[in-house]
PDB file of all heavy atoms in Angstrom:
ATOM      1  N   TYR A  72     129.955  51.769  40.275  1.00  0.00           N
ATOM      2  CA  TYR A  72     129.017  52.368  41.220  1.00  0.00           C
ATOM      3  C   TYR A  72     129.283  51.802  42.606  1.00  0.00           C
ATOM      4  O   TYR A  72     129.726  50.669  42.746  1.00  0.00           O
ATOM      5  CB  TYR A  72     127.571  52.034  40.847  1.00  0.00           C
ATOM      6  CG  TYR A  72     127.090  52.813  39.675  1.00  0.00           C
ATOM      7  CD1 TYR A  72     127.328  52.357  38.389  1.00  0.00           C
ATOM      8  CD2 TYR A  72     126.408  54.006  39.859  1.00  0.00           C
ATOM      9  CE1 TYR A  72     126.905  53.080  37.290  1.00  0.00           C
ATOM     10  CE2 TYR A  72     125.987  54.730  38.775  1.00  0.00           C
ATOM     11  CZ  TYR A  72     126.238  54.269  37.492  1.00  0.00           C
ATOM     12  OH  TYR A  72     125.816  54.986  36.428  1.00  0.00           O
ATOM     13  N   LYS A 266     103.722 111.952  33.080  1.00  0.00           N
ATOM     14  CA  LYS A 266     103.441 110.694  33.767  1.00  0.00           C
ATOM     15  C   LYS A 266     104.650 110.279  34.597  1.00  0.00           C
ATOM     16  O   LYS A 266     105.749 110.743  34.380  1.00  0.00           O
ATOM     17  CB  LYS A 266     103.146 109.577  32.758  1.00  0.00           C
ATOM     18  CG  LYS A 266     102.030 109.896  31.795  1.00  0.00           C
ATOM     19  CD  LYS A 266     102.077 108.958  30.599  1.00  0.00           C
ATOM     20  CE  LYS A 266     101.624 109.692  29.355  1.00  0.00           C
ATOM     21  NZ  LYS A 266     101.755 108.916  28.137  1.00  0.00           N
ATOM     22  N   ARG A 284      99.431 107.719  35.773  1.00  0.00           N
ATOM     23  CA  ARG A 284      98.981 108.272  34.502  1.00  0.00           C
ATOM     24  C   ARG A 284      98.929 109.804  34.555  1.00  0.00           C
ATOM     25  O   ARG A 284      99.058 110.400  35.624  1.00  0.00           O
ATOM     26  CB  ARG A 284      97.586 107.743  34.174  1.00  0.00           C
ATOM     27  CG  ARG A 284      97.464 106.227  34.124  1.00  0.00           C
ATOM     28  CD  ARG A 284      95.995 105.868  33.905  1.00  0.00           C
ATOM     29  NE  ARG A 284      95.766 104.430  33.825  1.00  0.00           N
ATOM     30  CZ  ARG A 284      95.435 103.662  34.865  1.00  0.00           C
ATOM     31  NH1 ARG A 284      95.340 104.206  36.067  1.00  0.00           N
ATOM     32  NH2 ARG A 284      95.215 102.374  34.714  1.00  0.00           N
ATOM     33  N   SER A 405      90.170  52.379  38.766  1.00  0.00           N
ATOM     34  CA  SER A 405      91.619  52.504  38.875  1.00  0.00           C
ATOM     35  C   SER A 405      92.205  53.542  37.929  1.00  0.00           C
ATOM     36  O   SER A 405      93.354  53.931  38.079  1.00  0.00           O
ATOM     37  CB  SER A 405      92.272  51.147  38.620  1.00  0.00           C
ATOM     38  OG  SER A 405      91.949  50.712  37.329  1.00  0.00           O
ATOM     39  N   TYR A 411      92.886  54.400  43.746  1.00  0.00           N
ATOM     40  CA  TYR A 411      93.898  53.344  43.862  1.00  0.00           C
ATOM     41  C   TYR A 411      94.655  53.475  45.184  1.00  0.00           C
ATOM     42  O   TYR A 411      94.885  52.493  45.892  1.00  0.00           O
ATOM     43  CB  TYR A 411      94.840  53.503  42.662  1.00  0.00           C
ATOM     44  CG  TYR A 411      95.903  52.443  42.519  1.00  0.00           C
ATOM     45  CD1 TYR A 411      95.588  51.193  42.008  1.00  0.00           C
ATOM     46  CD2 TYR A 411      97.221  52.728  42.838  1.00  0.00           C
ATOM     47  CE1 TYR A 411      96.571  50.238  41.838  1.00  0.00           C
ATOM     48  CE2 TYR A 411      98.204  51.784  42.661  1.00  0.00           C
ATOM     49  CZ  TYR A 411      97.882  50.532  42.163  1.00  0.00           C
ATOM     50  OH  TYR A 411      98.859  49.595  41.983  1.00  0.00           O
ATOM     51  N   ARG A 418      92.631  48.944  52.548  1.00  0.00           N
ATOM     52  CA  ARG A 418      92.968  47.527  52.658  1.00  0.00           C
ATOM     53  C   ARG A 418      93.749  47.259  53.932  1.00  0.00           C
ATOM     54  O   ARG A 418      93.519  46.280  54.634  1.00  0.00           O
ATOM     55  CB  ARG A 418      93.837  47.099  51.463  1.00  0.00           C
ATOM     56  CG  ARG A 418      93.043  46.605  50.309  1.00  0.00           C
ATOM     57  CD  ARG A 418      93.942  46.057  49.221  1.00  0.00           C
ATOM     58  NE  ARG A 418      93.207  45.040  48.476  1.00  0.00           N
ATOM     59  CZ  ARG A 418      93.665  44.486  47.352  1.00  0.00           C
ATOM     60  NH1 ARG A 418      94.836  44.824  46.870  1.00  0.00           N
ATOM     61  NH2 ARG A 418      92.950  43.586  46.738  1.00  0.00           N
ATOM     62  N   TYR A 486     100.251  42.606  48.866  1.00  0.00           N
ATOM     63  CA  TYR A 486      98.993  42.075  49.381  1.00  0.00           C
ATOM     64  C   TYR A 486      98.542  40.870  48.553  1.00  0.00           C
ATOM     65  O   TYR A 486      98.022  39.885  49.070  1.00  0.00           O
ATOM     66  CB  TYR A 486      97.937  43.184  49.308  1.00  0.00           C
ATOM     67  CG  TYR A 486      96.572  42.821  49.795  1.00  0.00           C
ATOM     68  CD1 TYR A 486      96.210  43.080  51.112  1.00  0.00           C
ATOM     69  CD2 TYR A 486      95.634  42.258  48.941  1.00  0.00           C
ATOM     70  CE1 TYR A 486      94.944  42.768  51.574  1.00  0.00           C
ATOM     71  CE2 TYR A 486      94.374  41.939  49.390  1.00  0.00           C
ATOM     72  CZ  TYR A 486      94.028  42.186  50.706  1.00  0.00           C
ATOM     73  OH  TYR A 486      92.777  41.883  51.156  1.00  0.00           O
ATOM     74  N   ARG A 490      99.911  36.169  51.817  1.00  0.00           N
ATOM     75  CA  ARG A 490      98.779  36.178  52.713  1.00  0.00           C
ATOM     76  C   ARG A 490      99.279  36.576  54.102  1.00  0.00           C
ATOM     77  O   ARG A 490     100.277  36.058  54.588  1.00  0.00           O
ATOM     78  CB  ARG A 490      98.142  34.786  52.781  1.00  0.00           C
ATOM     79  CG  ARG A 490      96.763  34.856  53.353  1.00  0.00           C
ATOM     80  CD  ARG A 490      96.086  33.515  53.443  1.00  0.00           C
ATOM     81  NE  ARG A 490      94.977  33.662  54.380  1.00  0.00           N
ATOM     82  CZ  ARG A 490      93.810  34.156  54.028  1.00  0.00           C
ATOM     83  NH1 ARG A 490      93.592  34.490  52.785  1.00  0.00           N
ATOM     84  NH2 ARG A 490      92.857  34.284  54.924  1.00  0.00           N
ATOM     85  N   LYS A 528      81.549  51.463  47.726  1.00  0.00           N
ATOM     86  CA  LYS A 528      81.330  51.589  46.297  1.00  0.00           C
ATOM     87  C   LYS A 528      80.039  52.351  46.030  1.00  0.00           C
ATOM     88  O   LYS A 528      78.997  52.047  46.589  1.00  0.00           O
ATOM     89  CB  LYS A 528      81.220  50.196  45.656  1.00  0.00           C
ATOM     90  CG  LYS A 528      81.291  50.248  44.143  1.00  0.00           C
ATOM     91  CD  LYS A 528      81.802  48.938  43.597  1.00  0.00           C
ATOM     92  CE  LYS A 528      82.112  49.062  42.106  1.00  0.00           C
ATOM     93  NZ  LYS A 528      82.947  47.981  41.635  1.00  0.00           N
TER      94      LYS A 528
ATOM     95  P     G B  19     121.748  61.577  35.285  1.00  0.00           P
ATOM     96  OP1   G B  19     120.334  61.696  34.976  1.00  0.00           O
ATOM     97  OP2   G B  19     122.230  61.316  36.634  1.00  0.00           O
ATOM     98  O5'   G B  19     122.372  60.518  34.308  1.00  0.00           O
ATOM     99  C5'   G B  19     121.957  59.142  34.385  1.00  0.00           C
ATOM    100  C4'   G B  19     123.193  58.262  34.310  1.00  0.00           C
ATOM    101  O4'   G B  19     124.377  59.042  34.500  1.00  0.00           O
ATOM    102  C3'   G B  19     123.231  57.183  35.371  1.00  0.00           C
ATOM    103  O3'   G B  19     123.005  55.917  34.754  1.00  0.00           O
ATOM    104  C2'   G B  19     124.632  57.233  35.997  1.00  0.00           C
ATOM    105  O2'   G B  19     125.296  56.011  35.846  1.00  0.00           O
ATOM    106  C1'   G B  19     125.328  58.233  35.105  1.00  0.00           C
ATOM    107  N9    G B  19     126.348  59.079  35.724  1.00  0.00           N
ATOM    108  C8    G B  19     126.247  60.037  36.678  1.00  0.00           C
ATOM    109  N7    G B  19     127.386  60.641  36.932  1.00  0.00           N
ATOM    110  C5    G B  19     128.286  60.018  36.092  1.00  0.00           C
ATOM    111  C6    G B  19     129.665  60.221  35.899  1.00  0.00           C
ATOM    112  O6    G B  19     130.399  61.048  36.447  1.00  0.00           O
ATOM    113  N1    G B  19     130.188  59.382  34.949  1.00  0.00           N
ATOM    114  C2    G B  19     129.457  58.430  34.255  1.00  0.00           C
ATOM    115  N2    G B  19     130.116  57.694  33.377  1.00  0.00           N
ATOM    116  N3    G B  19     128.168  58.227  34.409  1.00  0.00           N
ATOM    117  C4    G B  19     127.661  59.050  35.334  1.00  0.00           C
ATOM    118  P     U B  35      87.436  32.597  47.572  1.00  0.00           P
ATOM    119  OP1   U B  35      86.856  33.505  48.571  1.00  0.00           O
ATOM    120  OP2   U B  35      87.860  33.104  46.267  1.00  0.00           O
ATOM    121  O5'   U B  35      88.652  31.833  48.224  1.00  0.00           O
ATOM    122  C5'   U B  35      88.824  31.807  49.625  1.00  0.00           C
ATOM    123  C4'   U B  35      90.200  32.308  49.988  1.00  0.00           C
ATOM    124  O4'   U B  35      91.177  31.781  49.039  1.00  0.00           O
ATOM    125  C3'   U B  35      90.408  33.814  49.875  1.00  0.00           C
ATOM    126  O3'   U B  35      89.918  34.489  51.025  1.00  0.00           O
ATOM    127  C2'   U B  35      91.939  33.906  49.808  1.00  0.00           C
ATOM    128  O2'   U B  35      92.524  33.754  51.064  1.00  0.00           O
ATOM    129  C1'   U B  35      92.268  32.685  48.941  1.00  0.00           C
ATOM    130  N1    U B  35      92.465  33.049  47.534  1.00  0.00           N
ATOM    131  C2    U B  35      93.719  33.503  47.175  1.00  0.00           C
ATOM    132  O2    U B  35      94.636  33.597  47.966  1.00  0.00           O
ATOM    133  N3    U B  35      93.854  33.853  45.854  1.00  0.00           N
ATOM    134  C4    U B  35      92.890  33.788  44.893  1.00  0.00           C
ATOM    135  O4    U B  35      93.172  34.139  43.741  1.00  0.00           O
ATOM    136  C5    U B  35      91.618  33.313  45.321  1.00  0.00           C
ATOM    137  C6    U B  35      91.451  32.972  46.605  1.00  0.00           C
ATOM    138  P     C B  36      89.436  35.975  50.862  1.00  0.00           P
ATOM    139  OP1   C B  36      88.071  36.014  51.427  1.00  0.00           O
ATOM    140  OP2   C B  36      89.687  36.459  49.506  1.00  0.00           O
ATOM    141  O5'   C B  36      90.407  36.750  51.857  1.00  0.00           O
ATOM    142  C5'   C B  36      90.175  36.679  53.254  1.00  0.00           C
ATOM    143  C4'   C B  36      90.731  37.879  53.943  1.00  0.00           C
ATOM    144  O4'   C B  36      92.163  37.746  54.048  1.00  0.00           O
ATOM    145  C3'   C B  36      90.546  39.220  53.237  1.00  0.00           C
ATOM    146  O3'   C B  36      89.265  39.750  53.542  1.00  0.00           O
ATOM    147  C2'   C B  36      91.665  40.062  53.806  1.00  0.00           C
ATOM    148  O2'   C B  36      91.267  40.712  55.005  1.00  0.00           O
ATOM    149  C1'   C B  36      92.738  39.032  54.153  1.00  0.00           C
ATOM    150  N1    C B  36      93.913  39.093  53.269  1.00  0.00           N
ATOM    151  C2    C B  36      95.145  38.677  53.792  1.00  0.00           C
ATOM    152  O2    C B  36      95.199  38.281  54.938  1.00  0.00           O
ATOM    153  N3    C B  36      96.235  38.719  53.003  1.00  0.00           N
ATOM    154  C4    C B  36      96.138  39.174  51.760  1.00  0.00           C
ATOM    155  N4    C B  36      97.237  39.168  51.035  1.00  0.00           N
ATOM    156  C5    C B  36      94.886  39.600  51.203  1.00  0.00           C
ATOM    157  C6    C B  36      93.810  39.548  51.994  1.00  0.00           C
ATOM    158  P     A B  38      90.089  41.304  46.438  1.00  0.00           P
ATOM    159  OP1   A B  38      90.225  39.848  46.333  1.00  0.00           O
ATOM    160  OP2   A B  38      91.243  42.083  46.880  1.00  0.00           O
ATOM    161  O5'   A B  38      89.633  41.814  44.998  1.00  0.00           O
ATOM    162  C5'   A B  38      89.953  43.105  44.536  1.00  0.00           C
ATOM    163  C4'   A B  38      89.334  43.299  43.171  1.00  0.00           C
ATOM    164  O4'   A B  38      90.037  42.437  42.238  1.00  0.00           O
ATOM    165  C3'   A B  38      87.871  42.904  43.115  1.00  0.00           C
ATOM    166  O3'   A B  38      87.139  43.809  42.301  1.00  0.00           O
ATOM    167  C2'   A B  38      87.875  41.540  42.461  1.00  0.00           C
ATOM    168  O2'   A B  38      86.726  41.281  41.682  1.00  0.00           O
ATOM    169  C1'   A B  38      89.096  41.660  41.547  1.00  0.00           C
ATOM    170  N9    A B  38      89.692  40.354  41.286  1.00  0.00           N
ATOM    171  C8    A B  38      90.427  39.558  42.117  1.00  0.00           C
ATOM    172  N7    A B  38      90.802  38.432  41.574  1.00  0.00           N
ATOM    173  C5    A B  38      90.266  38.474  40.307  1.00  0.00           C
ATOM    174  C6    A B  38      90.300  37.580  39.243  1.00  0.00           C
ATOM    175  N6    A B  38      90.915  36.408  39.285  1.00  0.00           N
ATOM    176  N1    A B  38      89.671  37.940  38.105  1.00  0.00           N
ATOM    177  C2    A B  38      89.057  39.113  38.052  1.00  0.00           C
ATOM    178  N3    A B  38      88.949  40.047  38.990  1.00  0.00           N
ATOM    179  C4    A B  38      89.587  39.667  40.104  1.00  0.00           C
ATOM    180  P     A B  39      86.495  45.030  42.884  1.00  0.00           P
ATOM    181  OP1   A B  39      86.387  44.804  44.316  1.00  0.00           O
ATOM    182  OP2   A B  39      85.292  45.281  42.082  1.00  0.00           O
ATOM    183  O5'   A B  39      87.508  46.234  42.632  1.00  0.00           O
ATOM    184  C5'   A B  39      87.768  46.687  41.305  1.00  0.00           C
ATOM    185  C4'   A B  39      88.328  48.083  41.376  1.00  0.00           C
ATOM    186  O4'   A B  39      87.372  48.904  42.067  1.00  0.00           O
ATOM    187  C3'   A B  39      89.618  48.151  42.183  1.00  0.00           C
ATOM    188  O3'   A B  39      90.489  49.137  41.656  1.00  0.00           O
ATOM    189  C2'   A B  39      89.159  48.567  43.575  1.00  0.00           C
ATOM    190  O2'   A B  39      90.121  49.340  44.232  1.00  0.00           O
ATOM    191  C1'   A B  39      87.950  49.431  43.240  1.00  0.00           C
ATOM    192  N9    A B  39      86.956  49.433  44.303  1.00  0.00           N
ATOM    193  C8    A B  39      86.468  48.416  45.063  1.00  0.00           C
ATOM    194  N7    A B  39      85.581  48.783  45.939  1.00  0.00           N
ATOM    195  C5    A B  39      85.478  50.153  45.732  1.00  0.00           C
ATOM    196  C6    A B  39      84.718  51.131  46.337  1.00  0.00           C
ATOM    197  N6    A B  39      83.861  50.893  47.303  1.00  0.00           N
ATOM    198  N1    A B  39      84.873  52.395  45.907  1.00  0.00           N
ATOM    199  C2    A B  39      85.721  52.633  44.918  1.00  0.00           C
ATOM    200  N3    A B  39      86.496  51.792  44.266  1.00  0.00           N
ATOM    201  C4    A B  39      86.326  50.560  44.727  1.00  0.00           C
ATOM    202  P     G B  40      91.651  48.677  40.722  1.00  0.00           P
ATOM    203  OP1   G B  40      92.562  49.818  40.591  1.00  0.00           O
ATOM    204  OP2   G B  40      91.037  48.085  39.524  1.00  0.00           O
ATOM    205  O5'   G B  40      92.370  47.508  41.514  1.00  0.00           O
ATOM    206  C5'   G B  40      93.174  47.786  42.650  1.00  0.00           C
ATOM    207  C4'   G B  40      93.772  46.506  43.151  1.00  0.00           C
ATOM    208  O4'   G B  40      92.721  45.500  43.265  1.00  0.00           O
ATOM    209  C3'   G B  40      94.775  45.862  42.217  1.00  0.00           C
ATOM    210  O3'   G B  40      96.060  46.436  42.327  1.00  0.00           O
ATOM    211  C2'   G B  40      94.737  44.416  42.700  1.00  0.00           C
ATOM    212  O2'   G B  40      95.381  44.271  43.939  1.00  0.00           O
ATOM    213  C1'   G B  40      93.235  44.234  42.899  1.00  0.00           C
ATOM    214  N9    G B  40      92.611  43.840  41.621  1.00  0.00           N
ATOM    215  C8    G B  40      91.751  44.588  40.856  1.00  0.00           C
ATOM    216  N7    G B  40      91.391  43.983  39.761  1.00  0.00           N
ATOM    217  C5    G B  40      92.051  42.772  39.792  1.00  0.00           C
ATOM    218  C6    G B  40      92.050  41.708  38.866  1.00  0.00           C
ATOM    219  O6    G B  40      91.445  41.613  37.804  1.00  0.00           O
ATOM    220  N1    G B  40      92.863  40.664  39.283  1.00  0.00           N
ATOM    221  C2    G B  40      93.580  40.648  40.447  1.00  0.00           C
ATOM    222  N2    G B  40      94.307  39.560  40.691  1.00  0.00           N
ATOM    223  N3    G B  40      93.598  41.650  41.326  1.00  0.00           N
ATOM    224  C4    G B  40      92.811  42.660  40.939  1.00  0.00           C
ATOM    225  P     G B  41      97.023  46.475  41.079  1.00  0.00           P
ATOM    226  OP1   G B  41      98.172  47.317  41.438  1.00  0.00           O
ATOM    227  OP2   G B  41      96.265  46.766  39.849  1.00  0.00           O
ATOM    228  O5'   G B  41      97.488  44.976  41.000  1.00  0.00           O
ATOM    229  C5'   G B  41      98.257  44.409  42.052  1.00  0.00           C
ATOM    230  C4'   G B  41      98.526  42.972  41.756  1.00  0.00           C
ATOM    231  O4'   G B  41      97.255  42.282  41.564  1.00  0.00           O
ATOM    232  C3'   G B  41      99.270  42.708  40.453  1.00  0.00           C
ATOM    233  O3'   G B  41     100.659  42.876  40.592  1.00  0.00           O
ATOM    234  C2'   G B  41      98.892  41.255  40.192  1.00  0.00           C
ATOM    235  O2'   G B  41      99.571  40.379  41.064  1.00  0.00           O
ATOM    236  C1'   G B  41      97.411  41.289  40.578  1.00  0.00           C
ATOM    237  N9    G B  41      96.573  41.629  39.420  1.00  0.00           N
ATOM    238  C8    G B  41      95.894  42.800  39.197  1.00  0.00           C
ATOM    239  N7    G B  41      95.241  42.811  38.068  1.00  0.00           N
ATOM    240  C5    G B  41      95.522  41.569  37.496  1.00  0.00           C
ATOM    241  C6    G B  41      95.097  41.006  36.277  1.00  0.00           C
ATOM    242  O6    G B  41      94.364  41.497  35.409  1.00  0.00           O
ATOM    243  N1    G B  41      95.608  39.729  36.086  1.00  0.00           N
ATOM    244  C2    G B  41      96.437  39.085  36.981  1.00  0.00           C
ATOM    245  N2    G B  41      96.824  37.865  36.624  1.00  0.00           N
ATOM    246  N3    G B  41      96.825  39.596  38.132  1.00  0.00           N
ATOM    247  C4    G B  41      96.341  40.833  38.330  1.00  0.00           C
ATOM    248  P     C B  75     101.634 100.736  28.698  1.00  0.00           P
ATOM    249  OP1   C B  75     101.165 100.487  27.365  1.00  0.00           O
ATOM    250  OP2   C B  75     102.781 101.596  28.906  1.00  0.00           O
ATOM    251  O5'   C B  75     100.407 101.219  29.600  1.00  0.00           O
ATOM    252  C5'   C B  75     100.567 101.257  31.011  1.00  0.00           C
ATOM    253  C4'   C B  75      99.465 102.143  31.520  1.00  0.00           C
ATOM    254  O4'   C B  75      99.853 103.520  31.350  1.00  0.00           O
ATOM    255  C3'   C B  75      98.184 101.904  30.725  1.00  0.00           C
ATOM    256  O3'   C B  75      97.169 101.593  31.638  1.00  0.00           O
ATOM    257  C2'   C B  75      97.962 103.213  29.891  1.00  0.00           C
ATOM    258  O2'   C B  75      96.648 103.680  29.922  1.00  0.00           O
ATOM    259  C1'   C B  75      98.880 104.226  30.610  1.00  0.00           C
ATOM    260  N1    C B  75      99.575 105.092  29.698  1.00  0.00           N
ATOM    261  C2    C B  75      99.265 106.446  29.743  1.00  0.00           C
ATOM    262  O2    C B  75      98.409 106.834  30.528  1.00  0.00           O
ATOM    263  N3    C B  75      99.922 107.293  28.909  1.00  0.00           N
ATOM    264  C4    C B  75     100.838 106.840  28.080  1.00  0.00           C
ATOM    265  N4    C B  75     101.452 107.713  27.296  1.00  0.00           N
ATOM    266  C5    C B  75     101.154 105.463  28.014  1.00  0.00           C
ATOM    267  C6    C B  75     100.509 104.633  28.825  1.00  0.00           C
ATOM    268  P     C B  76      95.958 101.580  32.130  1.00  0.00           P
ATOM    269  OP1   C B  76      94.990 102.534  31.548  1.00  0.00           O
ATOM    270  OP2   C B  76      96.272 101.713  33.521  1.00  0.00           O
ATOM    271  O5'   C B  76      95.477 100.066  31.919  1.00  0.00           O
ATOM    272  C5'   C B  76      94.493  99.753  31.000  1.00  0.00           C
ATOM    273  C4'   C B  76      93.730  98.559  31.519  1.00  0.00           C
ATOM    274  O4'   C B  76      93.971  97.397  30.685  1.00  0.00           O
ATOM    275  C3'   C B  76      94.146  98.049  32.902  1.00  0.00           C
ATOM    276  O3'   C B  76      93.632  98.901  33.910  1.00  0.00           O
ATOM    277  C2'   C B  76      93.524  96.678  32.890  1.00  0.00           C
ATOM    278  O2'   C B  76      92.147  96.761  33.147  1.00  0.00           O
ATOM    279  C1'   C B  76      93.733  96.236  31.438  1.00  0.00           C
ATOM    280  N1    C B  76      94.878  95.317  31.274  1.00  0.00           N
ATOM    281  C2    C B  76      94.574  93.963  31.041  1.00  0.00           C
ATOM    282  O2    C B  76      93.385  93.647  30.980  1.00  0.00           O
ATOM    283  N3    C B  76      95.585  93.067  30.887  1.00  0.00           N
ATOM    284  C4    C B  76      96.841  93.485  30.969  1.00  0.00           C
ATOM    285  N4    C B  76      97.797  92.564  30.804  1.00  0.00           N
ATOM    286  C5    C B  76      97.189  94.847  31.226  1.00  0.00           C
ATOM    287  C6    C B  76      96.187  95.730  31.380  1.00  0.00           C
ATOM    288  P     A B  77      94.079  98.815  35.364  1.00  0.00           P
ATOM    289  OP1   A B  77      93.514  99.978  36.055  1.00  0.00           O
ATOM    290  OP2   A B  77      95.519  98.522  35.498  1.00  0.00           O
ATOM    291  O5'   A B  77      93.231  97.533  35.746  1.00  0.00           O
ATOM    292  C5'   A B  77      93.172  97.032  37.047  1.00  0.00           C
ATOM    293  C4'   A B  77      92.931  95.541  36.959  1.00  0.00           C
ATOM    294  O4'   A B  77      93.322  95.042  35.654  1.00  0.00           O
ATOM    295  C3'   A B  77      93.801  94.758  37.941  1.00  0.00           C
ATOM    296  O3'   A B  77      93.152  94.642  39.191  1.00  0.00           O
ATOM    297  C2'   A B  77      93.994  93.440  37.245  1.00  0.00           C
ATOM    298  O2'   A B  77      92.922  92.575  37.427  1.00  0.00           O
ATOM    299  C1'   A B  77      94.073  93.852  35.782  1.00  0.00           C
ATOM    300  N9    A B  77      95.457  94.116  35.378  1.00  0.00           N
ATOM    301  C8    A B  77      96.144  95.302  35.415  1.00  0.00           C
ATOM    302  N7    A B  77      97.387  95.211  34.987  1.00  0.00           N
ATOM    303  C5    A B  77      97.525  93.881  34.653  1.00  0.00           C
ATOM    304  C6    A B  77      98.606  93.130  34.144  1.00  0.00           C
ATOM    305  N6    A B  77      99.799  93.659  33.870  1.00  0.00           N
ATOM    306  N1    A B  77      98.421  91.809  33.931  1.00  0.00           N
ATOM    307  C2    A B  77      97.229  91.278  34.211  1.00  0.00           C
ATOM    308  N3    A B  77      96.132  91.886  34.689  1.00  0.00           N
ATOM    309  C4    A B  77      96.352  93.190  34.889  1.00  0.00           C
TER     310        A B  77
END
Side-chain angles (χ1 to χ4, degrees):
Chain A
Y72 285 86
K266 305 163 214 174
R284 303 175 179 93
S405 61
Y411 185 78
R418 270 186 152 171
Y486 180 94
R490 197 180 162 82
K528 192 154 190 163

